[in-house]
Amino acid sequence: MAQPDNKKFFENLSGAGKAIAVLTSGGDAQGMNAAVRAVVRMGIYVGAKVYFIHEGYQGMVDGGDNIKEATWESVSSMLQVGGTVIGSARCMEFRTHEGRLKAAHNLVQHGITNLCVIGGDGSLTGANLFREEWSSLLAKLVQQGMISDDAAEKYSALHIVGMVGSIDNDFCGTDMTIGTDSALHRIIEVVDAIMTTAQSHQRTFVLEVMGRHCGYLALVSALACGADWVLIPEMPPEDGWEEKMCEKLSANRAGRKRLNIIIVAEGAIDRNNKPITTEHVKDLVVRSLGFDTRVTILGHVQRGGTPSAFDRILASRMGVEAVLALLETTANTPACVVSLCGNQAVRLPLMECVQMTQEVQKAMDEKRFEDAVKLRGRSFENNLRTYKLLAHRKPESELPHSNFNVAVLNVGAPAAGMNAAVRSAVRVGISEGHKMFAINDGFEGFYKGQIKEIKWGAVGGWTGQGGSLLGTKRTLPAKYIGKIAEQIRKYNINALLVIGGFEAYLGIAELLAARGTCEEFCVPMIMVPATVSNNVPGSDLSIGADTALNAITDTCDRIKQSASGTKRRVFIIETMGGYCGYLASVGGLAAGADAVYIYEEPFDIRELQSNVEHLTEKMKTSIQRGLVLRNENSNVNYTTDFIYQLYSEEGKGVFDCRKNILGHMQQGGAPSPFDRNFGTKIAAKAMQWISKKLQESYRQGRVFANTEDSACLLGMRRRALVFQPVTQLKDQTDFIHRIPKEQWWLKLRPLMKILAKYKTSYDVSDSGQLEHVVCNRTKESDTTTTI
């Protein structure tokens, strides 16, 4: 596809003559290095000078070698490194006026008037104060004879853009902060490992996770692993919670559940603001139930390790957005934070975000816990509501009785997160009073009658399971319409939830077309996209795609590491995706690829040759390893073997080549925390839609739904989850190649090329615009941020 013409962008937003400095401050977080890398390379790309400030604000105050000009090569090989390679430090001196005066002097000496600060609310608040004092600091430096009047006039305004790097996700106005997803990976890895030993010995485990003032990590990890109980500071348990928790643990053990997991945020409190510790919880369980109980405190493990694919992409997108924001600032522009809302870049006034974050703590101190949850944002609120819905089963006497039967099935190739979605659908359906039926082996099992009722306890422990426990097939229903209709009559199925990929989309369309001849299909039908290829129209993201991206990223990291210390080497990697280049492109951005070949962006032998020459030049200077990704169906003639042979031949004397076809490993493994959470929440929302449609379409003792909006696809579109009639998606679909006609992630392609040192035009039409935090909160999506 042709790149957009952005000559206006380079005329109006040239960085020539500007100096940008980047620093990381406060606690470290995985993904900070990806953000630093993006700021440096985008800054150099637009013609600005870019500087590292080592050791955070301490380095700014001390000056000297702590402030160094960055080069393109100085950020090579840091994308996959955790923590922050430019260092971070707490700096008491910067909190004083004299300390900030020293910092201002050091910046002016380097001509720096643009700061990109990556840190938490304390670091960003300090940056804003620095900006507000800038004029008076320069005046004092002139008065002391440390800088000239000309220098004070030339550097009269300081511009600041922030990115939030914090594993706690405790900064209001942002859907997800850099490092949070990686921390969730560490937590879920531990929980999954603990579950095996807990099941072996029938143990109860009490886990403490980070979150001194914010319960996000505890809440989402509890949702992702199906924990029995979670304790967070924003919503302390009701009085008498000890008895209720023990009753639940006892009931679960009586129901033959061999393990119990309780997750405690380090800042967990009761209704009187008294801390709830893991030892207190353990003693309570042992004293009341006599269960074998262990405590695990994860501590700084959560900050460690390599950043997840999500954090690398989030940080890269935000780093580029930060540079664009700095280039657009004027003397009157307030300091801002760049972030993602849903799947869209936004810019928010820094102090509005800080003030709202402080409001959360104030609400907790004043025991206004409902307000604290709301101030955290719609995503946090929805996480809490969904957890309560799925973890706490109401007694049969309290459940509504709808007399509706709802069936759930998986269709297409397996995708990690499918089981979490099924578990969520089953439990929400039961909570709504429906009788839930599981259909094994997709539409093939449907027409064969492989249908059975599924109960609450039957889906316990499903969230962490990969593949599809229901079984899934690619079979489409058109040939078996009569037999499927017969099964619908036999089991009196009143609604269908289909979880799957492109075949699921086609299957729903075929059932919809059969409504004219078979009234059995005049029931509410909804599809939830689940496929590693992420090729379903109507949704920016599919369940399973994040797990596949992490598999690609992890493999690329290992492959590149294998060449460490050897001669220069280029790796050619083939990814899955059919004709959809999502995995290759976004995986390439996360892994730091030098080139990515996809079907949607046609390429020829001239471009291949140009890429080889570009990589050869880079190899001659400094880099030791190159990475090239190719989508499996990108071109029928330019195969992976062809590209491997071309690079091998043209790179002789400079580098050698290796190739790797990742294959079905991209579909396997345990689902990522993102896919567990996304699958859980989107399926819950789908079931609530089904309940509403069943009520609307129930007439004269039967369900009859024949309107266009009674057969929908639920997808993530920019900022929100949207229900879209399947019939309306037909015009948006390339049925031959099984992809949407328009794909949002193609806008990330130029970004990947820029970070790989290619000259290309960059589309800024989707860049963030300054918004107010309150306005933003009303538009937040009901899921965590998507990529």
Side-chain angles (χ1 to χ4, degrees):
M1 292 189 178
Q3 294 299 321
D5 182 5
N6 275 316
K7 291 178 182 177
K8 186 178 180 182
F9 163 65
F10 291 106
E11 289 168 6
N12 293 344
L13 295 179
S14 170
K18 294 194 176 185
I20 299 171
V22 58
L23 70 145
T24 54
S25 178
D28 64 303
Q30 307 97 319
M32 279 184 165
N33 290 324
V36 170
R37 171 180 178 267
V39 169
V40 169
R41 291 194 168 178
M42 188 63 180
I44 293 172
Y45 184 80
V46 298
K49 272 190 174 183
V50 186
Y51 291 85
F52 290 136
I53 299 179
H54 292 273
E55 310 306 330
Y57 287 118
Q58 190 66 57
M60 194 189 297
V61 172
D62 294 343
D65 289 340
N66 289 304
I67 303 176
K68 290 182 179 178
E69 186 172 354
T71 64
W72 194 276
E73 291 74 21
S74 62
V75 292
S76 295
S77 302
M78 66 189 290
L79 186 61
Q80 69 273 20
V81 179
T84 165
V85 299
I86 61 173
S88 180
R90 310 283 181 186
C91 181
M92 297 303 295
E93 196 174 356
F94 188 76
R95 297 185 181 186
T96 67
H97 185 77
E98 284 304 312
R100 292 192 291 276
L101 191 68
K102 290 181 185 177
H105 182 235
N106 289 328
L107 293 187
V108 169
Q109 283 185 316
H110 290 86
I112 297 168
T113 56
N114 297 279
L115 274 184
C116 181
V117 181
I118 307 167
D121 60 338
S123 303
L124 298 178
T125 303
N128 189 65
L129 176 62
F130 191 41
R131 173 183 171 276
E132 289 174 346
E133 288 184 343
W134 184 255
S135 296
S136 63
L137 292 172
L138 293 194
K140 194 164 186 178
L141 289 171
V142 170
Q143 185 183 352
Q144 293 177 353
M146 298 181 74
I147 64 171
S148 66
D149 288 324
D150 290 343
E153 185 177 347
K154 184 177 180 180
Y155 307 120
S156 60
L158 179 68
H159 306 297
I160 288 173
V161 172
M163 282 184 278
V164 188
S166 166
I167 68 167
D168 292 337
N169 201 31
D170 57 352
F171 196 78
C172 291
T174 60
D175 273 3
M176 191 79 103
T177 57
I178 296 168
T180 303
D181 187 70
S182 300
L184 285 170
H185 273 258
R186 302 294 93 77
I187 295 168
I188 295 304
E189 285 165 9
V190 171
V191 172
D192 285 352
I194 278 175
M195 278 184 164
T196 57
T197 185
Q199 283 177 327
S200 300
H201 297 278
Q202 285 194 303
R203 280 186 178 142
T204 297
F205 270 87
V206 184
L207 273 75
E208 180 183 289
V209 302
M210 284 186 168
R212 195 175 307 134
H213 304 293
C214 179
Y216 185 88
L217 288 178
L219 179 56
V220 175
S221 56
L223 195 60
C225 73
D228 297 271
W229 204 267
V230 64
L231 294 159
I232 59 173
E234 290 88 348
M235 183 54 70
E238 300 287 346
D239 292 339
W241 65 273
E242 294 94 340
E243 291 79 10
K244 290 180 182 176
M245 183 185 76
C246 290
E247 283 173 11
K248 185 184 179 189
L249 298 180
S250 183
N252 285 346
R253 193 64 65 90
R256 297 190 177 182
K257 184 176 181 181
R258 294 182 59 83
L259 77 156
N260 301 113
I261 300 287
I262 301 166
I263 296 182
V264 183
E266 63 177 325
I269 53 174
D270 63 16
R271 291 270 155 178
N272 298 310
N273 285 336
K274 181 182 175 184
I276 299 175
T277 65
T278 51
E279 284 300 326
H280 172 67
V281 175
K282 175 193 171 182
D283 293 343
L284 175 66
V285 174
V286 172
R287 186 175 64 251
S288 302
L289 301 174
F291 289 175
D292 185 6
T293 306
R294 299 286 190 274
V295 169
T296 300
I297 297 174
L298 270 63
H300 284 76
V301 165
Q302 295 156 88
R303 289 192 187 277
T306 59
S308 66
F310 182 100
D311 272 328
R312 299 183 197 196
I313 296 157
L314 172 66
S316 297
R317 289 181 70 180
M318 293 304 93
V320 168
E321 185 68 29
V323 172
L324 296 179
L326 283 171
L327 295 181
E328 291 175 352
T329 54
T330 65
N332 299 321
T333 306
C336 74
V337 174
V338 295
S339 183
L340 287 188
C341 176
N343 196 30
Q344 188 175 15
V346 293
R347 301 175 192 174
L348 305 167
L350 189 154
M351 290 315 295
E352 284 187 20
C353 296
V354 169
Q355 286 160 10
M356 186 168 285
T357 303
Q358 293 168 348
E359 276 294 316
V360 177
Q361 188 59 49
K362 185 180 177 184
M364 288 192 284
D365 292 341
E366 296 173 357
K367 300 182 183 180
R368 293 184 288 111
F369 299 115
E370 295 285 348
D371 290 343
V373 169
K374 287 178 181 176
L375 286 165
R376 282 284 181 221
R378 288 274 301 281
S379 178
F380 188 95
E381 199 174 1
N382 194 47
N383 279 321
L384 183 58
R385 189 186 313 116
T386 307
Y387 175 77
K388 288 179 177 179
L389 196 60
L390 299 176
H392 302 292
R393 185 182 184 183
K394 293 180 181 177
E396 292 287 341
S397 58
E398 294 181 22
L399 289 174
H401 293 286
S402 70
N403 295 319
F404 293 125
N405 295 340
V406 180
V408 57
L409 67 158
N410 293 336
V411 176
M418 275 183 164
N419 297 320
V422 171
R423 169 185 177 269
S424 175
V426 167
R427 292 196 168 181
V428 171
I430 292 171
S431 296
E432 306 253 320
H434 310 318
K435 187 180 283 189
M436 297 300 297
F437 287 86
I439 300 173
N440 297 113
D441 296 335
F443 287 117
E444 187 173 314
F446 204 166
Y447 84 79
K448 289 179 178 178
Q450 295 172 206
I451 304 167
K452 62 181 179 182
E453 187 179 354
I454 187 165
K455 300 283 190 178
W456 183 283
V459 292
W462 280 33
T463 52
Q465 299 289 319
S468 167
L469 294 173
L470 287 186
T472 181
K473 296 274 181 79
R474 295 178 183 271
T475 308
L476 293 175
K479 293 180 182 178
Y480 312 103
I481 287 295
K483 291 182 179 179
I484 292 174
E486 185 181 323
Q487 297 299 333
I488 290 176
R489 285 196 304 273
K490 180 179 176 181
Y491 290 92
N492 189 28
I493 292 171
N494 306 119
L496 278 178
L497 169 59
V498 184
I499 301 167
F502 204 85
E503 290 86 0
Y505 166 61
L506 294 176
I508 287 271
E510 290 179 3
L511 296 184
L512 194 57
R515 280 180 171 178
T517 54
C518 295
E519 285 193 357
E520 288 81 1
F521 298 111
C522 293
V523 295
M525 294 185 281
I526 188 165
M527 179 200 160
V528 169
T531 169
V532 300
S533 301
N534 197 32
N535 62 331
V536 178
S539 188
D540 289 354
L541 192 74
S542 300
I543 298 166
D546 183 70
T547 305
L549 281 175
N550 278 288
I552 292 168
T553 307
D554 291 347
T555 305
C556 289
D557 285 352
R558 293 183 186 188
I559 286 172
K560 288 197 291 185
Q561 191 179 41
S562 72
S564 182
T566 66
K567 58 184 176 180
R568 292 181 172 88
R569 183 165 287 167
V570 173
F571 296 94
I572 316 293
I573 311 292
E574 180 181 297
T575 68
M576 294 176 77
Y579 286 96
C580 181
Y582 175 82
L583 286 181
S585 292
V586 182
L589 179 59
D594 295 280
V596 175
Y597 302 115
I598 61 171
Y599 165 78
E600 292 91 341
E601 198 171 275
F603 57 96
D604 55 22
I605 192 66
R606 289 180 293 276
E607 183 173 345
L608 286 169
Q609 184 65 33
S610 174
N611 292 158
V612 175
E613 292 169 358
H614 179 82
L615 195 50
T616 302
E617 286 303 310
K618 287 171 71 175
M619 285 284 190
K620 285 178 179 177
T621 54
S622 62
I623 68 167
Q624 299 291 319
R625 301 177 295 279
L627 184 65
V628 175
L629 269 62
R630 176 188 176 273
N631 169 243
E632 59 184 347
N633 288 345
S634 56
N635 189 291
V636 68
N637 294 314
Y638 300 134
T639 63
T640 302
D641 281 336
F642 178 91
I643 292 173
Y644 164 69
Q645 290 166 3
L646 176 67
Y647 273 75
S648 296
E649 181 63 29
E650 297 298 318
K652 277 182 178 177
V654 180
F655 59 82
D656 66 0
C657 276
R658 295 290 186 273
K659 65 176 177 178
N660 197 303
I661 297 174
L662 300 185
H664 285 77
M665 66 174 290
Q666 295 158 87
Q667 286 182 333
S672 67
F674 185 98
D675 277 329
R676 299 183 196 199
N677 194 20
F678 185 55
T680 296
K681 290 198 287 186
I682 196 171
K685 199 170 183 73
M687 279 306 305
Q688 289 165 344
W689 177 90
I690 282 176
S691 296
K692 181 184 174 186
K693 288 296 177 186
L694 284 170
Q695 294 293 337
E696 290 176 359
S697 57
Y698 186 70
R699 298 288 184 275
Q700 299 176 342
R702 61 170 291 197
V703 172
F704 187 83
N706 200 26
T707 55
E708 193 178 70
D709 66 352
S710 65
C712 282
L713 181 145
L714 175 56
M716 180 73 189
R717 300 302 290 265
R718 293 173 71 84
R719 294 193 177 195
L721 286 170
V722 182
F723 296 96
Q724 301 146 101
V726 171
T727 53
Q728 293 180 11
L729 295 173
K730 186 177 179 181
D731 292 340
Q732 301 175 28
T733 308
D734 175 352
F735 286 98
I736 295 173
H737 298 101
R738 297 159 60 89
I739 55 175
K741 289 180 180 177
E742 292 186 11
Q743 303 189 83
W744 69 271
W745 52 265
L746 284 169
K747 290 185 177 180
L748 299 181
R749 295 274 298 171
L751 169 57
M752 184 203 70
K753 291 179 180 179
I754 287 170
L755 298 180
K757 211 173 183 178
Y758 286 91
K759 284 294 179 186
T760 184
S761 52
Y762 183 61
D763 185 1
V764 295
S765 62
D766 223 24
S767 63
Q769 302 299 318
L770 193 65
E771 302 178 6
H772 291 291
V773 180
V774 174
C775 175
N776 174 59
R777 283 184 65 246
T778 63
K779 297 177 183 177
E780 278 185 31
S781 81
D782 284 337
T783 67
T784 45
T785 314
T786 56
I787 53 182

